[in-house]
């Protein structure tokens, strides 16, 4: 039966009463005061399965189970006699097939009147249908009432999504630009932009997978939110590039915020059981009275960020509005470097490596310099990253390898000199070059140098960029007899995991940890662990950047094998290195 609002039966004698009574959407029955059924409509008969003759003259209580019959006779019937009505009593009706069906009963007693006995008019609602109907009515009402709210919310959500990064929930570039444009119009405000670019993020994606990369990005996003004050805007501009907009007020406060963010980001992150240390290059720019747009301020901060990368990464650079455009400078410098390689402007200096057992200089590291015609002698930091990013590093690396092997061969032929190993750095691009092994073979043969006098240094980052290819390349180099060293050890991703996979001869502990010996307990512990790890896997431990007697004594106590650094000598030209050797 379909639920409907209770309604009293029409008065006797109404012309359309029979039609209304029989076709009502709910069950109708009438009984005498003693409970005998006097009328029943077609709707109830169809629902219950009874025939009309089965019910007329029988008692209404006969349709109820025992428990509900007691409820009707003990509670409902007396109440009908006193108040004249009962409303929505929950009972069960026993249908013709003996099944029990829950219903709601509303009954009204009509007193006797002229020409008519008293009667009880009973309305029967199917409870499940009633509840379903009510729920449908309520749902329809809510839909009608909330339609406008949903439309407005959908529009607001669409606007929000258009300005939001889907992975991190931060503002995207469009959202950041809108916030920055608004900030630039506020009277007296000096908004600052910090562009934060993760260093070597592609290594995480390529070695651990994009899920691990996403987890790292979410961690970085959370740390950036926590590091800035309320009211600042944090955004994700691209894959591994974030930005912060805040009203710092001046350059020094802006730098302080950037330095704080840098410290927060370097806290290790545990992903897939591996401890990853993320670093970042941060560029900052503070609005000036002449700052005319958000795009310009973002550009200035981006230029400063690229300068931070070029100067070694994991650092902060502040945009100087009086500087020339570095993008133009970089293009000019790249052209000059290309001509400088061809024109013989590169130089090699050599830094001695000292054996801690007897103090002898048993090897040197070849370090490239550029004798720029206008800027003087430039260190590697001024041009190596530029070469790496442009692909020119292969040409540069080939020159360094050839020049270093030629010099080592000349020393080896000199009977007045002790035989020394020469270490040459390989870039990531060189290590992944399929022609590397052939090139090394050719240069050794061309200059007549024994392979065991050449050591090739690779960084941890280069190793984990494509581990399988790196293993194959290093194994082929080892088969030639060339030594392999892992440079900057301790600063890369997943170094402990990958170490045993590669055929290496020595670990070069990064100077950033050596500098902290005797000063920072954490650095001292790291250096000690690196030395122990090297010995555990059967390779030599070499400490870079030794500058003080205290650092040297600590390394001797730890059992480190070799050291190099300013405490012994700066990188020297070949003639000066010969004088240094004689002096020792």
């Amino acid at each position: 039966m379909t639920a409907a609002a209770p309604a009293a039966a029409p008065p006797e004698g109404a012309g359309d009463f029979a039609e209304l009574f029989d076709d009502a959407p709910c069950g109708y029955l009438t009984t005498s005061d003693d409970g005998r059924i006097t009328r029943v409509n077609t709707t109830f008969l169809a629902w219950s399965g009874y025939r009309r003759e089965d019910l007329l003259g029988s008692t209404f209580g006969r349709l109820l189970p025992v428990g509900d019959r007691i409820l009707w006779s003990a509670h409902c019937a007396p109440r009908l006699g006193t108040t004249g009505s009962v409303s929505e009593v929950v009972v069960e009706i026993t249908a013709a097939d003996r099944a029990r069906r829950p219903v709601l009963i509303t009954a009204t007693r009509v007193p006797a009147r002229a020409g008519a006995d008293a009667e009880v008019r009973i309305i029967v609602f199917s409870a499940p249908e009633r509840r379903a109907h009510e729920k449908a009515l309520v749902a329809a009402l809510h839909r009608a009432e909330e339609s406008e709210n949903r439309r407005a919310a959908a529009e607001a959500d669409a606007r929000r999504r258009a300005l939001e990064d889907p992975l991190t929930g931060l503002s995207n570039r469009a959202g950041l630009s809108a916030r920055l444009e608004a900030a630039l119009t506020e009277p007296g405000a000096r908004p600052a932009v910090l562009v934060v670019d993760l260093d070597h993020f592609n290594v995480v994606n390529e070695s651990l997978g994009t899920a691990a990369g996403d987890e790292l990005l979410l961690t970085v996003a959370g740390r950036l939110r926590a590091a800035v004050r309320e009211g600042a805007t944090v955004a994700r501009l691209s894959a591994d590039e974030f930005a912060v907009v805040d009203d710092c007020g001046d350059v020094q406060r802006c730098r302080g915020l950037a330095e704080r963010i840098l410290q927060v980001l370097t806290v290790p992150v545990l992903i897939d059981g591996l401890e990853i240390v993320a670093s970042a290059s941060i560029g900052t720019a503070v609005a000036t009275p002449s700052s005319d747009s958000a795009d310009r301020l973002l550009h200035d901060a981006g230029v400063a960020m690229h300068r931070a990368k070029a100067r070694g990464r994991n650092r902060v650079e502040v945009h100087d509005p009086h500087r020339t455009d570095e993008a133009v400078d970089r293009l000019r410098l790249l052209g000059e470097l290309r001509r400088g390689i061809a024109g013989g402007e590169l130089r090699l200096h050599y830094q001695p490596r000292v054996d801690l057992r007897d103090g002898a200089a048993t090897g040197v590291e070849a370090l490239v310099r550029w004798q720029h015609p206008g800027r003087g002698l430039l260190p590697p930091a001024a041009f190596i990253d530029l070469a790496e990013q442009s692909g020119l590093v292969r040409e540069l690396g080939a020159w360094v390898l050839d020049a270093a092997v030629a010099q080592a061969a000349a020393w080896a032929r000199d009977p007045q000199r002790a035989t020394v190993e020469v270490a040459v750095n390989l870039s990531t691009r060189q290590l992944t070059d399929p022609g590397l092994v052939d090139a090394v073979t050719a240069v050794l043969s061309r200059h007549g140098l024994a392979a065991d006098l050449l050591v090739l240094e690779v960084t941890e980052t280069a190793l984990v960029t494509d581990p399988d290819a790196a293993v194959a390349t290093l194994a082929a180099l080892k088969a030639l007899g060339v030594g392999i060293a892992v440079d900057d050890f301790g600063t890369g991703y997943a170094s402990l995991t990958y170490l045993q996979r590669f055929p290496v001869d020595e670990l070069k502990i990064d100077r950033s940890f050596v500098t902290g010996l005797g000063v920072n307990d954490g650095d001292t512990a790291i250096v000690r662990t690196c030395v122990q790890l090297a010995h555990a896997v059967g390779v030599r431990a070499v400490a870079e950047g030794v500058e003080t007697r205290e650092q040297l004594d600590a390394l001797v106590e730890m059992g480190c094998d070799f050291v190099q650094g300013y405490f012994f000598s700066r990188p020297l030209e070949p003639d000066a290195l010969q004088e240094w050797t004689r002096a020792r």
Side-chain angles (χ1 to χ4, degrees), residues 100-115:
R100 294 184 179 185
R101 300 178 183 175
V103 296
L104 298 172
I105 291 179
T106 294
T108 303
R109 182 178 182 274
V110 179
R113 57 192 185 281

Side-chain angles (χ1 to χ4, degrees), residues 33 93 115 120 130 137 157 160 199 222 243 317 336 404 449 472 492 502 574:
D33 261 351
I93 292 288
V120 175
R130 169 68 177 271
L137 287 174
D157 185 60
R160 178 183 59 80
D199 298 329
E317 289 290 332
E336 292 172 348
L449 180 69
F502 301 104

Side-chain angles (χ1 to χ4, degrees), residues 345-353 363-372 376-380 383 399-401 403-405 407-408 411 417 421-425 457 508 564 566 569-578:
E345 295 174 2
L346 298 184
R347 305 284 185 270
L348 283 185
H349 288 191
Y350 299 87
Q351 186 170 42
R353 184 191 66 191
V364 294
E365 179 179 0
L367 300 167
V368 67
R369 303 289 189 264
W370 178 13
Q371 188 65 55
H372 190 280
L377 191 65
L378 299 181
F383 58 91
W399 183 92
V400 171
L401 178 63
V405 170
Q407 181 62 69
W411 286 334
R417 294 183 58 90
E421 295 178 341
V422 175
V424 176
N425 292 280
E457 297 188 3
K508 301 193 73 172
Q564 65 184 72
Y566 286 2
S569 173
R570 293 175 177 271
L572 302 170
E573 295 183 43
D575 291 343
L577 178 65
Q578 187 172 356

